Amino acid sequence: MKQVTLEVPEHIDEKLAKLVFELGLAIMERDFHKKAEILAYFEARGWRI
């Protein structure tokens, strides 16, 4: 297991930063189900990326 530290500007919510990071991993790993799940969550919350 590898631990990754992600630094984001203070105005970005920690949960949003984590989801964006997970979205990037899903895209890199070609995990289309996880990608769709995260994008659906963004859409439900009204967030645009």
Side-chain angles (χ1 to χ4, degrees):
M1 180 179 282
K2 199 176 250 191
Q3 183 175 352
V4 177
T5 302
L6 179 66
E7 292 185 26
V8 296
E10 287 188 25
H11 68 276
I12 296 178
D13 181 56
E14 184 177 333
K15 185 173 183 176
L16 176 59
K18 181 181 177 191
L19 286 170
V20 170
F21 182 76
E22 287 183 21
L23 178 61
L25 286 178
I27 292 169
M28 285 178 30
E29 295 174 351
R30 299 179 190 259
D31 185 346
F32 300 111
H33 295 286
K34 183 68 172 179
K35 177 182 171 185
E37 180 183 315
I38 294 170
L39 290 175
Y41 181 80
F42 283 164
E43 187 174 326
R45 297 287 303 233
W47 293 343
R48 293 189 176 254
I49 56 167

